[in-house]
């Protein structure tokens, strides 16, 4: 296992400070209805799991077209039914104990997101399995080990985001 650090604490703090300034500047120029659209989504989602029409909120911004991952593109759209790959459960990635397997798995999954026009992946799931009889244990990249999950989620997220898709890590509990 490698615990290499990709970014220094100082770099992360600088990046967050810049992002915070940009967000505050953007919010100051927005109407109340535009701000509400950021938290409630938009009509016209074209069958995505979630849709935020950013063009309405911020001129020139790209719409956020969210879809469930991370075990394959979830076909909420009729035109994509029967065309998505169902990848092995993330628990099988956890069972590999291999960050490279996690990266390669994510690269394969994100290709469908790019091809089908989704730019936000709702995943990966990092929930630590505490009761193996629950119905969602198979979805987690952590299995029963939070340290394992911390090592496997990083290459997964980086691989997804290198393709221009936002990775939304979920199910923290």
């Amino acid at each position: 296992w490698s615990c290499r650090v990709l970014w220094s604490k100082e770099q992360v703090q600088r990046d967050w400070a810049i992002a915070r300034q940009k967000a505050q500047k953007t919010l100051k120029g927005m109407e109340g209805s535009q701000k509400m659209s950021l938290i409630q989504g938009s009509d016209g989602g074209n069958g995505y799991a979630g849709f935020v029409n950013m063009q309405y909120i911020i001129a020139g911004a790209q719409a956020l077209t969210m879809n469930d991952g991370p075990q394959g593109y979830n076909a909420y759209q009729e035109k994509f039914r029967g065309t998505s790959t169902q990848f092995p459960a993330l628990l099988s990635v956890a069972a590999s104990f291999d960050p490279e397997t996690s990266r390669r798995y994510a690269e394969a999954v994100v290709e469908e997101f790019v091809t089908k026009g989704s730019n936000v992946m709702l995943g990966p799931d990092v929930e630590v399995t505490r009761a193996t009889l629950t119905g969602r244990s198979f979805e987690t990249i952590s299995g029963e080990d939070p340290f394992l999950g911390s090592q496997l989620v990083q290459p997964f997220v980086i691989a997804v985001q290198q393709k221009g898709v936002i990775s939304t890590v979920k199910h923290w509990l």
Side-chain angles (χ1 to χ4, degrees):
W1 288 99
S2 169
C3 292
R4 73 185 166 103
V5 176
L6 293 180
W7 302 279
S8 68
K9 179 180 176 182
E10 293 78 19
Q11 180 64 45
V12 170
Q13 288 173 339
R14 279 193 303 272
D15 290 348
W16 274 107
I18 292 168
R20 190 176 302 111
Q21 287 174 340
K22 287 180 181 179
Q24 289 171 342
K25 181 180 177 184
T26 300
L27 286 170
K28 283 182 184 176
M30 294 171 68
E31 302 289 329
S33 61
Q34 293 171 308
K35 292 176 184 178
M36 286 302 296
S37 291
L38 287 172
I39 60 171
Q40 70 184 24
S42 307
D43 291 333
N46 300 320
Y48 291 101
F51 179 75
V52 179
N53 188 350
M54 295 299 291
Q55 294 98 344
Y56 167 73
I57 300 166
I58 303 168
Q62 183 177 355
L64 297 177
T65 51
M66 298 168 234
N67 206 305
D68 278 323
Q71 287 146 171
Y73 184 90
N74 198 335
Y76 292 105
Q77 299 173 13
E78 188 66 39
K79 67 182 180 181
F80 291 137
R81 294 231 166 97
T83 67
S84 295
T85 304
Q86 177 58 54
F87 288 85
L90 274 178
L91 192 58
S92 64
V93 176
S96 76
F97 292 87
D98 182 21
E100 178 63 12
T101 297
S102 179
R103 183 192 65 74
R104 291 177 57 210
Y105 180 98
E107 284 179 345
V109 172
V110 75
E111 284 302 320
E112 274 195 278
F113 277 72
V114 170
T115 301
K116 294 177 178 172
S118 184
N119 59 14
V120 180
M121 178 188 291
L122 302 176
D125 179 347
V126 296
E127 181 175 3
V128 176
T129 302
R130 289 182 287 288
T132 56
L133 298 178
T134 64
R136 301 187 86 167
S137 298
F138 70 95
E139 293 180 314
T140 177
I141 199 167
S142 300
E144 298 177 354
D145 184 351
F147 179 76
L148 174 63
S150 75
Q151 299 302 295
L152 298 180
V153 72
Q154 181 179 327
F156 188 106
V157 169
I158 290 171
V160 169
Q161 295 190 164
Q162 283 178 334
K163 292 290 186 174
V165 174
I166 298 168
S167 181
T168 307
V169 178
K170 62 182 184 176
H171 300 181
W172 295 92
L173 301 176

